[in-house]
Amino acid sequence: MTGAAALFIGVDGATVELTAETAGSKAAMLWRMSRLGLAVPPAFVLPTMLCSAVNRGEPAALEALDLNLREGMARLEAATGRRFGGPRMPLLVSVRSGAAQSMPGMLASILNVGLTGESVRGLIGLTGNPQLAWDSYRRFIRAYAEVVSDAPTAPFVERLAEMVGSEGVADEDELDPEALERLTYAFQSIAELNGWPIPDDPWLQLTAASRAVYRSWESPRATEYRRLNGLDNRAGTAVTIQAMVFGNAGGTSGAGVAFSRDPATGAKSLYVDFMFDAQGDDIVGGRRIPGNIARLATRLPQAASELVIGAERLEREFNDVQDIEFTIENGKLFFLQTRPAKRTPWAALRILIDFVHEGLLSPSAALARVPEIDLERVRRTRFAGKTAAIATAIVASPGVASGRAAFDSSRASALTEGGEPVILVRHDTATEDVAGFAIATGILTAVGSRTAHAAVVARQLGKVCLVGCRDLEIDPSARSGKIGDVRIQEGDWLSLDGDTGEVTLGRREIVSDVPVSDLAEIESWRQAAFAGSADRQPGF
């Protein structure tokens, strides 16, 4: 197919400029970061134009897909000195989505592609780290089954919980290599017995993973996200295939997400969630509670310093606040993604004014961005009076909200149809709940991070979101939960304070403030622009 050739990042001879329309925003930004000299693992991209044709099963598109995969992997092997799925120096890759406009968490990705019964031994030999190898393999099996075969998460979650319990450890992070090896084989058995087989051929894995990522463009959650955000006219997603770097390689490795400024308030400070000995899906999936930049700097000051410098450089390069995904492998920092950060309207206005004060934007350039901000929603809400909190949580999106508790999106919809505001109460911020986010007034979760994909979506939608409420327990089948010793039934009133992180019972009065001085400054730019325009008018 003409124009459907693979595009390359960080590979010798790859000089063609990548654009978001042809290669997706993820790959286009990877290309830009590599050109800036930031550490980006080499990659190649299957273009957006193949998406619809591959999903329809057109023979020419499937042939182009196969040719691109063969050429791309040959060049990645040459760039890394490793062989895909090889027994001695195995090359493993991530297969990631990337639409022209970012859709956080809505499309599919699979990490550690290329792990087989043979290559897992090669990875142990290469790294001397059996913990890394078996942890990566069990992650791959679960992700492959869920993304390629649409397998439910429950069987894998239940088996993992059984293993954690039988080993007498607190969580999966404490499983030793031998337990992880047994868990890997248990996951394989679950997949095979349920008709979700995992190929032991790396090429079959890669082809199926690429097709599944293309197919995720048509998933219900992605379709709903595009509808909510007016993106129905987009052509499809690209597929980025990138050499793996391992954040789960031990105590000097990890994965994180960084915002170059606080996306909730607009404050000029690096906003980081980071987990040691973790892969990226631990962060963006919202299943674990991370640490911050101070924790990272304590153990890995050089990597933390490079992250600060890189974030500042990216912000200046794009003249916008950046949302950055990164991995640290054995102390070395790698940049895996950057994109314009989703932010609250309050933060968007504050950041725009600060950019003018810092000389990053002229007032006229800033004025051109004002229509992107819903000025009617630039307000900060707070509760009138004080009420005793029953728990505290981490603030992922600010503001305050009172509503009736709902424990899934369908029940949230039923309550809102009755005219009631709703607080969506969940174990974690899963992107499958995007429809519930759209109608809820606020979101409360038991686990998660400020930078999980779903928390990012909540912030973009302007929804109050508190995550990591350690005292929250949920019983979905009973449509109820507990916060500490307090039982919460569906329909009970809850209030969330996105300034303090407090959770309270009952309905509370809400008052709001507007940033008068910031709005006045915007108006002064308009007046100056109008006066300048009038001065340039020809006389009568």
Side-chain angles (χ1 to χ4, degrees), residues 362-376:
S362 66
S364 60
L367 270 178
R369 295 189 184 182
V370 169
E372 299 171 6
I373 305 171
D374 184 352
L375 294 179
E376 293 298 317

Side-chain angles (χ1 to χ4, degrees), residues 55 61 71 77 87 127 134 388 460 464 486 505:
N55 288 343
E71 179 190 2
E77 288 177 336
T127 63
W134 291 112
Q460 179 192 14
V464 180
V486 180
L505 290 174

Side-chain angles (χ1 to χ4, degrees), residues 146-412:
E146 291 176 359
V147 173
V148 175
S149 300
D150 295 321
T153 63
F156 299 102
V157 172
E158 290 166 4
R159 186 66 189 91
L160 173 60
E162 291 171 2
M163 180 66 73
V164 168
S166 66
E167 292 296 301
V169 296
D171 54 42
E172 62 192 273
D173 299 341
E174 297 180 16
L175 293 174
D176 63 26
E178 189 271 338
L180 288 168
E181 181 178 1
R182 286 189 283 117
L183 183 62
T184 298
Y185 291 131
F187 277 10
Q188 284 180 328
S189 296
I190 289 171
E192 290 169 3
L193 291 172
N194 287 280
W196 315 316
I198 312 298
D200 206 43
D201 181 332
W203 286 100
L204 292 179
Q205 295 176 6
L206 182 62
T207 301
S210 300
R211 293 192 65 174
V213 170
Y214 270 141
R215 191 169 63 246
S216 70
W217 176 258
E218 299 173 355
S219 69
R221 69 183 183 187
T223 301
E224 176 67 8
Y225 183 90
R226 290 197 300 277
R227 184 190 68 80
L228 290 172
N229 291 276
L231 301 176
D232 287 332
N233 61 337
R234 299 292 177 170
T237 183
V239 178
T240 300
I241 296 166
Q242 188 168 37
M244 281 293 302
V245 287
F246 296 98
N248 57 331
T252 58
S253 302
V257 174
F259 290 79
S260 58
R261 302 192 186 212
D262 190 321
T265 67
K268 187 181 180 181
S269 59
L270 192 63
Y271 183 99
V272 175
D273 278 348
F274 180 79
M275 294 179 187
F276 287 104
D277 200 15
Q279 289 197 330
D281 53 352
D282 296 318
I283 289 281
V284 299
R287 293 183 293 271
R288 293 167 55 192
I289 298 174
N292 56 21
I293 185 67
R295 185 181 177 203
L296 172 60
T298 298
R299 189 181 300 180
L300 298 174
Q302 180 64 32
S305 176
E306 290 173 359
L307 178 62
V308 171
I309 294 169
E312 292 174 349
R313 188 172 183 181
L314 289 169
E315 190 175 88
R316 290 194 302 271
E317 175 72 13
F318 298 110
N319 289 321
D320 203 355
V321 181
Q322 296 299 296
D323 171 358
I324 302 159
E325 292 182 18
F326 63 97
T327 286
I328 299 173
E329 179 181 87
N330 296 322
K332 181 172 175 55
L333 173 67
F334 293 91
F335 290 83
L336 302 183
Q337 177 165 296
T338 192
R339 59 191 169 196
K342 308 296 184 187
R343 65 208 81 171
T344 64
W346 183 285
L349 181 60
R350 180 70 258 157
I351 290 165
L352 197 61
I353 289 172
D354 284 347
F355 272 20
V356 172
H357 292 174
E358 296 165 24
L360 296 176
L361 290 175
S362 66
S364 60
L367 270 178
R369 295 189 184 182
V370 169
E372 299 171 6
I373 305 171
D374 184 352
L375 294 179
E376 293 298 317
R377 291 173 54 207
V378 180
R379 56 187 66 246
R380 181 169 287 167
T381 54
R382 54 186 171 85
F383 289 126
K386 296 287 186 181
T387 299
I390 60 172
T392 58
I394 299 167
V395 177
S397 184
V400 296
S402 283
R404 294 193 180 275
F407 293 89
D408 60 53
S409 294
S410 62
R411 296 304 302 159

Side-chain angles (χ1 to χ4, degrees), residues 488-500:
I488 307 295
Q489 301 291 337
E490 184 178 278
D492 288 350
W493 280 91
L494 288 177
S495 295
L496 309 181
D497 191 325
D499 290 326
T500 65

